[in-house]
Amino acid sequence: MNATPNIVNQGDEAEVKGNDIRVMSLVGVAHFFSHFYIYLLPPLFPFLKTAFNVSYTELGLLMAVFSGTTGLTQIPFGFLVDRFGAKFILIVGLAVEGIAFSCMGFAPGYPFLVALMFLAGAANGVYHPADYAILSASVSKTRMGRAFSLHTFGGYAGFAVAGPIIILLNSTIGWSSGLLICGLAGIGTALLLMVFSRDLKHSVSTNDSALNQKTQNELPGYSGIKLLLSPPILMCLAFFTLLSLGSTGIASFLIVALGQHHGTAVETATLILSTYLVLGAVGVLLGGFVADRTQKHNAVAALCFLSTALIIASVGFFILETYALFILLGLMGLMHGVIMPSRDMIVRSVTPDGAFGKVFGFVTSGFSIGGIIAPPIFGWILDQSQPSFLFFGIGGIMLCSMMTVFTSGRRRAN
């Protein structure tokens, strides 16, 4: 007599699992294009310099425009996501960014290219608030850590393949047609998301909405701007900013710092950085499983931060053989990757239902803040021929990050 209910339950579970995987895959692919487009133009700079008769400073301005508009639009998009829903904002943003990059291949001049980068950067601001809102509303809580890890992994993958793909396209059909194809790929993905839009929930259920309304009534004024300026959310912003400071310092200057401090050849240092990044992606996937099997996300993140701080400080304190640098920095990349899903779970734990868009849009703007601050500071350190200070500085940032995960511990009301 109990067989039928078991079959039904198993069938329901299989359906839920299939829906979770479908949602995680769709959002992960969308996030892939967010990072893919960020790194699409830099490999083409030598060709764009000749085509548009501009300097590298002017080409660097393109990236600054893109990053700046992304940082400025994330928070407004977060409020729009919570007000109108996430999925169609995500789909339109992806389509607009794809259109912008498609048109870049045929831009008549540099000013038009700047305008297109402004448009693309603004569209790029939809991903973090929309992605996290969709995942939080659509994926089972038991798979939330893995959902966040696959989301981050999609971004890592976009970074990794952007350069090789556009260089291959440039060598075969030219950079103009290459940008057109890459832009059309984003538009095609937006259409795919439209087809499966029914699976992409973008608001909490009726019960959750009623519960959230009750919570808001019990906590008057604890929403909107006041929510964003509350201590737990501000601490999460500091968390993301510090994380970006350290990551930017490593990604931008590790090769130069290893050369100055350890005499590492550029080719070898590049391989070491690649090892760090690849194992970081592996760590993101591992961290998803860890995040789903513990509620102590603060402890997981703190342990990893402490480990990465000790590793990077040892690289600056000692003169190490090449094999040791590969091992230590590879291990650091792995530990750094494990942090990412727990990082997102910490933010989710302090966010009231119905506010995921604005909160994640706000705290992830820390990526832009760190990306603006880190390069001149670490560049100045290397200009003073003090590479060990770069390693010690990053280690100090990791220790400060460890403190933020313990002071952002206010749990959202249930």
Side-chain angles (χ1 to χ4, degrees), residues 167-301:
I167 291 299
L168 176 63
L169 290 172
N170 177 62
S171 64
T172 53
I173 59 176
W175 63 267
S176 296
S177 298
L179 287 175
L180 174 62
I181 290 175
C182 291
L184 290 176
I187 298 171
T189 302
L191 294 175
L192 179 66
L193 264 62
M194 181 66 74
V195 171
F196 291 97
S197 61
R198 182 177 298 180
D199 295 319
L200 304 177
K201 298 177 184 177
H202 54 172
S203 61
V204 293
S205 66
T206 303
N207 291 337
D208 286 341
S209 296
L211 184 59
N212 185 53
Q213 185 61 47
K214 179 182 178 182
T215 300
Q216 295 296 335
N217 292 336
E218 291 173 352
L219 298 172
Y222 205 71
S223 61
I225 298 299
K226 288 186 177 181
L227 171 64
L228 299 185
L229 297 181
S230 63
I233 304 302
L234 288 176
M235 197 57 63
C236 287
L237 174 65
F239 182 17
F240 274 74
T241 301
L242 290 169
L243 199 58
S244 177
L245 281 170
S247 300
T248 302
I250 293 173
S252 301
F253 298 109
L254 179 64
I255 294 173
V256 177
L258 288 177
Q260 286 189 6
H261 190 60
H262 296 279
T264 309
V266 172
E267 295 80 6
T268 304
T270 301
L271 288 176
I272 292 174
L273 177 59
S274 297
T275 301
Y276 170 88
L277 293 173
V278 170
L279 287 179
V282 174
V284 167
L285 296 178
L286 177 62
F289 287 94
V290 173
D292 279 337
R293 284 161 173 76
T294 181
Q295 296 297 316
K296 298 180 179 179
H297 307 297
N298 305 66
V300 172

Side-chain angles (χ1 to χ4, degrees), residues 24 74 92 108 144 172 198 214 265 269 282 353 357 365 370 372 407:
M24 289 188 287
Q74 277 192 159
V92 171
M144 195 60 66
T172 53
R198 182 177 298 180
K214 179 182 178 182
V282 174
D353 290 324
S365 65
I372 292 170
T407 53

Side-chain angles (χ1 to χ4, degrees), residues 80-91 129-138 197-205 354 356-357:
L80 291 175
V81 161
D82 291 337
R83 178 66 178 85
F84 299 106
K87 62 182 178 183
F88 294 116
I89 291 176
L90 174 62
I91 291 169
D131 288 356
Y132 285 115
I134 291 172
L135 292 174
S136 293
S138 304
S197 61
R198 182 177 298 180
D199 295 319
L200 304 177
K201 298 177 184 177
H202 54 172
S203 61
V204 293
S205 66
F356 293 113

